[in-house]
Amino acid sequence: MTPAELASVVLTAAHAVFAERGLDRAALPERTVVERPRNPEHGDYASTLALQLSKKVGVPPRELAEALADQLGRASGVKSVEIAGPGFLNIRLDAAAAGQLARVIVEAGAEYGRSDRLNGEKINLEFVSANPTGPVHIGGVRWAAVGDALSRLLRATGAEVGTEYYFNDAGSQIDRFARSLLAAAKGQPAPEDGYGGAYIGEIATEVQARRPEVLTLDDDAAQEVFRVEGVALMFDEIRSSLRDFGVEFDTYFNEKDLHDRGELDLALARLREQGRIYESEGATWLRTTDFGDDKDRVLRKSNGEWTYFAADCAYYLDKRERGFERVVIMLGADHHGYIGRMKAMAACFGDDPERNLEILIGQLVNLVRDGAPMRMSKRAGTVVTLEDLVDAIGVDASRYALARYSSDSPIDIDVELWTRAGNDNPVYYVQYVAARTASVARNAAELGLARGDGDDFHPELLDHEKENELLKALAQFPAVVASAAELRAPHRLAHYLEKDVAQSYHRFYDSCRVLPRGDEEFTDLRRARLWLNDATRTVIANGLALLGVTAPERM
């Protein structure tokens, strides 16, 4: 019995109690939940439904809990119900009901853990969005891992998600990039405000190979060639490196397109309609202080140039016009100041900033080797890049390490730890369960043993303490996926895989022999344990897939 099925049983019992007592059934929720108690001695699951309903219907919580317990005690699969405190229900399942979960998981396969919790939500998720002036640095890599995992979690819970990378390919930083390429091509040092690193020379050389005549042009024309060709090459390199990291975006959006299509004028007109625009000192302003911003923001300067914030407004409007109800933007640690102005901007458009716009801030990441942070890339010169991280610890470890921690906490990634083949390496610890469960299944097949179909499965035999512990851990997977999606917290899934599933499986494996030794018979108990082994493999594989990490069959 899954937690969702048990929750349905609890709600059915509540309907019966309300009918018996003539209570108002309108007070009953459409759904309820059951949770694992913190202390396993209190039972398999706990419900607070009696406490939630007590005030609504004017019945003391303990009295209501007693009536619910009496009804639940008659339900198939429920072994016992105890009342604790003011009205908590502690529920124990019989072995058959608990063990049946293994079959549910195996038969569901890749679908186990998915739900319709966020069905109907249309979310635009923008992350990484590094300027095309250099390789993706380690801070951007964090968002690549977290953002991609979050998109998978949101989709697994029923949301319609569009992932997006915003290329800031217009403005002064692109001019500095083009001047840096031109200087490198001429063999000159980078401009004082330009970009350094070996990659600048590499791109300059590639541009010259594509456009051999470039250095015969005057500087303005040559710089424009380096701007167009250089941005395209950098763009391709960023996309390629992210693809190798397992991250693909549904949309790559160019800022320049906003300008070329007149979308900044459209955004300005829309804001005028809302009565939020005014003119002062020759410039055009947005009255963001009406919605809590610390100052009003310039959209168009007195010289007629658009500001970056104007492009932000146009881009937000573009996303909303494409039908996305919620715009989620992941920004780096130095962008805290953007939150207030962006929320105010959404309100200026007439949106609800709490509903329509969500901004997540990611903290800094250090790659640590020999106890000291790595500060510079061999290629980029000033930052540690995606390639540096992957070269140091690999794709799987990189993605897991970056998604394992709450994004609002700074992290150090220790190269020695994350490359170690030991249980203190979190990704190794989880992947080892994937490999061990696959090994058990493989060894069973080599012995000519099979778990059979559902008719051969006897879940009531899974009554060992460690079997029950593992089953309860596996049962929580759908709820963990849903909460990780709703709270924008992929790290919750990583912690669950480590602390609940992996630990429980290792204890089960050490205490409960799955396959026979020598001439031992392959009993119904061992067959049931093989179902439980394969169910664990399913949960580990599904969980790692949501983090963008592989579930190896051998290690």
Side-chain angles (χ1 to χ4, degrees):
M1 185 184 299
T2 68
E5 290 170 337
L6 178 57
S8 179
V9 170
V10 172
L11 199 54
T12 299
H15 276 277
V17 168
F18 272 48
E20 285 179 359
R21 293 178 165 235
L23 300 174
D24 182 8
R25 279 189 266 187
L28 289 167
E30 291 185 7
R31 65 172 70 182
T32 187
V33 296
V34 293
E35 299 175 340
R36 288 178 63 184
R38 291 184 179 180
N39 186 346
E41 294 180 1
H42 292 168
D44 296 325
Y45 295 99
S47 170
T48 60
L49 188 61
L51 296 170
Q52 296 168 18
L53 296 176
S54 174
K55 286 185 178 180
K56 293 182 179 180
V57 296
V59 177
R62 181 120 189 152
E63 181 183 332
L64 193 55
E66 288 172 354
L68 284 170
D70 182 60
Q71 280 289 337
L72 279 171
R74 306 174 204 171
S76 175
V78 175
K79 182 179 180 181
S80 66
V81 184
E82 298 172 356
I83 302 169
F88 296 100
L89 295 172
N90 290 330
I91 306 166
R92 298 181 192 275
L93 302 180
D94 62 36
Q100 190 63 39
L101 179 69
R103 176 180 175 178
V104 170
I105 294 171
V106 171
E107 292 181 347
E111 291 300 305
Y112 183 67
R114 304 182 73 86
S115 71
D116 60 358
R117 192 82 157 260
L118 299 179
N119 193 34
E121 287 208 29
K122 189 170 183 182
I123 300 171
N124 181 282
L125 181 62
E126 180 199 340
F127 55 100
V128 184
S129 295
N131 292 336
T133 54
V136 180
H137 62 77
I138 196 167
V141 183
R142 182 175 198 174
W143 276 139
V146 174
D148 189 61
L150 181 54
S151 73
R152 295 168 188 243
L153 286 163
L154 290 168
R155 286 169 175 149
T157 47
E160 182 182 344
V161 181
T163 57
E164 197 142 316
Y165 188 121
Y166 181 59
F167 270 99
N168 202 342
D169 59 347
S172 59
Q173 82 281 359
I174 298 298
D175 293 335
R176 295 198 302 272
F177 178 63
R179 290 200 305 273
S180 301
L181 294 175
L182 177 59
K186 290 182 173 183
Q188 299 172 353
E192 187 174 337
D193 61 348
Y195 296 90
Y199 77 96
I200 290 292
E202 294 167 6
I203 293 174
T205 300
E206 181 63 24
V207 171
Q208 288 177 274
R210 289 186 175 193
R211 299 286 299 272
E213 81 288 359
V214 63
L215 292 184
T216 66
L217 305 174
D218 63 62
D219 281 356
D220 288 343
Q223 184 174 314
E224 179 61 15
V225 170
F226 278 109
R227 187 192 70 78
V228 173
E229 297 287 350
V231 165
L233 286 167
M234 196 73 254
F235 200 38
D236 290 344
E237 181 178 324
I238 290 172
R239 290 180 64 166
S240 177
S241 62
L242 287 169
R243 188 180 304 117
D244 291 343
F245 196 59
V247 179
E248 290 271 13
F249 289 86
D250 299 317
T251 301
Y252 292 89
F253 195 104
N254 288 19
E255 180 192 351
K256 189 171 181 295
D257 290 343
L258 292 171
H259 293 265
D260 293 345
R261 296 197 297 248
E263 292 196 38
L264 281 81
D265 289 301
L266 177 63
L268 182 60
R270 187 70 58 87
L271 291 166
R272 282 192 192 281
E273 291 173 7
Q274 295 290 327
R276 304 300 175 187
I277 296 295
Y278 67 95
E279 310 293 329
S280 177
E281 300 176 354
T284 302
W285 298 71
L286 180 62
R287 207 183 301 275
T288 53
T289 52
D290 287 352
F291 298 101
D293 195 8
D294 60 342
K295 61 181 179 180
D296 291 338
R297 303 290 169 174
V298 176
L299 297 181
R300 203 166 205 165
K301 301 176 186 178
S302 57
N303 63 4
E305 291 182 2
W306 294 103
T307 63
Y308 287 124
F309 187 63
D312 290 338
C313 294
Y315 187 36
Y316 172 79
L317 181 61
D318 182 276
K319 291 176 179 179
R320 295 284 285 120
E321 292 288 293
R322 282 184 273 146
F324 291 106
E325 297 165 3
R326 184 180 291 269
V327 173
V328 181
I329 306 172
M330 297 178 161
L331 299 174
D334 56 345
H335 285 72
H336 275 284
Y338 277 61
I339 297 176
R341 76 187 70 168
M342 293 294 285
K343 290 281 188 179
M345 173 265 292
C348 286
F349 276 116
D351 282 352
D352 177 355
E354 298 309 310
R355 165 65 187 158
N356 300 119
L357 178 61
E358 187 175 337
I359 298 177
L360 307 178
I361 300 292
Q363 292 302 317
L364 300 174
V365 183
N366 285 315
L367 184 61
V368 177
R369 189 190 295 274
D370 298 326
M374 293 174 58
R375 297 298 185 191
M376 296 177 63
S377 165
K378 292 179 180 177
R379 183 163 179 263
T382 56
V383 294
V384 176
T385 67
L386 187 158
E387 287 78 8
D388 296 324
L389 179 62
V390 171
D391 287 347
I393 66 174
V395 171
D396 277 349
S398 296
R399 290 192 60 132
Y400 193 93
L402 291 165
R404 183 178 184 259
Y405 301 94
S406 174
S407 56
D408 59 7
S409 300
I411 55 174
D412 290 334
I413 298 178
D414 189 324
V415 172
E416 295 173 352
L417 170 65
W418 288 94
T419 54
R420 192 178 300 149
N423 287 343
D424 57 342
N425 177 349
V427 71
Y428 180 90
Y429 184 63
V430 175
Q431 286 185 316
Y432 187 72
V433 174
R436 176 170 269 184
T437 53
S439 175
V440 169
R442 191 166 54 248
N443 291 339
E446 291 172 357
L447 293 170
L449 308 176
R451 65 170 188 261
D453 58 26
D455 294 335
D456 300 317
F457 178 45
H458 294 274
E460 71 277 3
L461 299 177
L462 297 173
D463 60 0
H464 190 282
E465 175 190 0
K466 300 306 178 186
E467 293 163 346
N468 186 257
E469 178 187 327
L470 179 55
L471 284 163
K472 285 193 285 187
L474 301 180
Q476 295 305 305
F477 182 55
V480 171
V481 171
S483 66
E486 290 175 334
L487 297 173
R488 317 300 191 233
H491 66 279
R492 287 174 170 256
L493 175 56
H495 290 176
Y496 160 78
L497 293 176
E498 293 170 43
K499 304 299 183 184
D500 292 284
V501 181
Q503 284 188 9
S504 296
Y505 180 79
H506 286 307
R507 288 193 284 261
F508 157 76
Y509 185 88
D510 292 340
S511 302
C512 304
R513 179 84 187 166
V514 179
L515 300 180
R517 289 192 180 96
D519 296 330
E520 288 180 347
E521 182 183 358
F522 185 52
T523 62
D524 286 341
L525 173 58
R526 297 197 189 282
R527 181 176 286 107
R529 286 174 174 171
L530 188 55
W531 277 86
L532 183 51
N533 175 83
D534 293 353
T536 305
R537 166 79 190 178
T538 298
V539 169
I540 286 286
N542 290 358
L544 286 174
L546 289 171
L547 296 175
V549 178
T550 63
E553 295 193 356
R554 289 179 170 84
M555 288 182 73

